[in-house]
């Protein structure tokens, strides 16, 4: 059945020639499709720019407090300071910058004297357990194998009880 090969080649060439044909208008440009032709598929639109996570929520100066045991934290653009009552010395580290996941949590993580030092803030209402104040953030500080829990707020915006 050698005669099949020439016919196959002829069929392929005919298909290629038909595919290369495109109707043209008199000016040489591609002609518009016939009125009854199906509409050409529309290319999908590129996705919108991703919505910026709420990183703004965790920028600027932030403070956190906790009790049992008492502790305080100050996050500033250049450093983070974690203090506890004496005799513990303050822990001061360069601010490594916050990593933000899902816009609801921010994490600062570094090492101090061979120990992991990590601060996690969550955008979640928090009560300090000793007052009726409500804070906008839940705070967790990890220093080595110790974990401290408390509440956080933007510096200068600490919740206050109504003065009525």
């Amino acid at each position: 059945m050698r005669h099949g090969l020439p016919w196959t080649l002829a069929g392929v060439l005919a298909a290629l020639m038909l595919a290369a044909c495109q109707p043209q208008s008199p000016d040489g440009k591609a002609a518009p499709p016939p009125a009854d032709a199906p509409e050409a598929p529309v290319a999908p639109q590129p996705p919108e720019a991703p919505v910026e996570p709420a990183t703004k929520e965790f920028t600027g100066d932030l403070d956190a407090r906790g009790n049992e045991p008492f502790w305080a934290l100050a996050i500033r653009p250049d450093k983070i300071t974690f203090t506890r009552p004496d005799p513990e010395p303050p822990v001061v580290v360069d601010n490594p910058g916050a990593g933000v996941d899902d816009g609801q949590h921010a994490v600062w993580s570094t090492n101090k004297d061979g120990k992991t030092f990590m601060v996690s803030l969550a955008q979640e209402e928090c009560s300090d357990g000793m007052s009726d104040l409500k804070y906008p953030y839940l705070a967790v500080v990890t220093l080595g194998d110790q974990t401290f829990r408390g509440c956080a707020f933007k510096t200068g915006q600490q919740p206050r009880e109504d003065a009525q």
Side-chain angles (χ1 to χ4, degrees):
M1 296 225 136
R2 304 181 106 213
H3 64 352
L5 183 59
W7 287 106
T8 304
L9 283 174
V12 169
L13 286 173
L16 287 174
M17 290 188 325
L18 286 174
C21 294
Q22 179 177 357
Q24 293 184 342
S25 61
D27 63 359
K29 294 182 181 174
D36 62 347
E39 288 188 32
V42 177
Q45 294 293 324
E48 293 181 22
V51 177
E52 182 181 322
T55 55
K56 291 185 272 184
E57 197 62 40
F58 301 108
T59 58
D61 294 349
L62 297 159
D63 289 323
R65 308 271 186 274
N67 34 8
E68 297 182 21
F70 289 102
W71 59 269
L73 180 84
I75 300 174
R76 301 298 180 261
D78 60 336
K79 66 181 176 180
I80 300 174
T81 305
F82 178 65
T83 56
R84 296 173 282 173
D86 290 334
E88 300 293 335
V91 175
V92 180
V93 297
D94 290 336
N95 185 338
V100 178
D101 64 8
D102 76 8
Q104 300 297 313
H105 297 83
V107 177
W108 292 259
S109 183
T110 189
N111 288 308
K112 177 67 174 178
D113 300 328
K115 295 180 182 179
T116 298
F117 178 71
M118 185 169 59
V119 177
S120 176
L121 299 183
Q123 190 173 357
E124 181 179 320
E125 189 175 88
C126 181
S127 172
D128 63 13
M130 294 184 70
S131 71
D132 292 331
L133 300 178
K134 300 292 183 210
Y135 296 82
Y137 310 113
L138 177 69
V140 178
V141 177
T142 303
L143 179 59
D145 61 354
Q146 296 179 298
T147 301
F148 304 87
R149 298 182 189 285
C151 301
F153 55 94
K154 289 191 176 198
T155 304
Q157 296 178 0
Q158 181 175 2
R160 297 189 183 348
E161 293 183 40
D162 291 333
Q164 290 185 6

